Amino acid sequence: MPLGLAFGLLITGAGFAWWWAPIFSILIYAGSMEFLAVSLITSGVGIVSASFTGLLVNFRHIFYGLTFPRSVITSRLGLLYSTYALTDEAYALTAGKENPDPRYLLHIQWICQAIWVVSGIIGAITGSLLPSFTGAEFALTALFVVLAYEGFRASKDWSLVVTAFASCLVGNMALAFCVYFSVLVLRYRIPRLDAVLTWRY
């Protein structure tokens, strides 16, 4: 909700009418990409550059899809919606559960989207009534910091933090994700390696 409010404030602060907030939140529905899309549009970036940027920003969803328990959903429409509505928040709330109820998955996802859309509208209407507002884009960075911190608290494995930082040294974000994911796959497939690398205290 705070992130949706920040997005609504950002979009009206960039000169868009308030009703663009729900359009972005329904057609794009990717928090980080929505924030970035505002700046891409206002700066006049071409469609090829914008598409490539979108691929890099959302590249992590490829890895989300590999472990998100969509297989429990039997409805074709439900499966399509679950694929469309796979966000950082929905993944964080559901990916760790084994064989979850498909209704639970879908309810989490549509509730997340409803909260995002409604809070975006509230933020946009509020932003349209304010003379000016800056700094809302920082909310996205804050979200990722909180998600990373909560993920660390769940495992308390410092080797994952070190692996993440080391992966960032290889270059661009997509390559860093590939390196990090490869290490996780190796640790999963080779329990002895995982035991050696695990670093908790």
Side-chain angles (χ1 to χ4, degrees), residues 11 23 26-27 30 39 54 74 81 86 132 134-135 152 180 182 194:
I11 202 167
I23 291 176
I26 293 171
L27 294 181
S39 61
T74 55
Y81 177 74
L86 178 52
S132 63
T134 58
F152 173 74
Y180 185 74
S182 298
D194 182 56

Side-chain angles (χ1 to χ4, degrees), residues 112-127:
C112 283
Q113 185 172 18
I115 291 172
W116 175 256
V117 173
V118 171
S119 60
I121 291 172
I122 293 171
I125 292 174
T126 302

Side-chain angles (χ1 to χ4, degrees), residues 66-161:
L66 295 174
T67 54
F68 190 73
R70 292 182 310 133
S71 58
V72 300
I73 301 173
T74 55
S75 162
R76 180 173 294 182
L77 185 60
L79 189 60
L80 286 172
Y81 177 74
S82 182
T83 303
Y84 154 77
L86 178 52
T87 60
D88 300 301
E89 296 81 7
Y91 183 84
L93 289 169
T94 59
K97 298 185 179 297
E98 294 185 12
N99 299 317
D101 187 325
R103 292 172 298 179
Y104 171 81
L105 286 183
L106 292 172
H107 284 156
I108 287 292
Q109 289 187 282
W110 76 255
I111 288 171
C112 283
Q113 185 172 18
I115 291 172
W116 175 256
V117 173
V118 171
S119 60
I121 291 172
I122 293 171
I125 292 174
T126 302
S128 66
L129 300 175
L130 297 174
S132 63
F133 192 90
T134 58
E137 60 277 2
F138 180 74
L140 185 63
T141 303
L143 171 69
F144 283 119
V145 169
V146 170
L147 288 175
Y149 176 69
E150 290 299 323
F152 173 74
R153 284 185 60 191
S155 67
K156 295 184 179 177
D157 185 352
W158 283 95
S159 67
L160 296 176
V161 177

Side-chain angles (χ1 to χ4, degrees), residues 33 36 40 48-62 173-174 177:
M33 194 58 220
L36 190 56
L40 291 175
V48 175
S49 297
S51 298
F52 183 69
T53 302
L55 174 64
L56 290 179
V57 170
N58 292 315
F59 194 77
R60 67 190 184 281
H61 287 270
I62 294 173
M173 184 174 65
F177 270 120

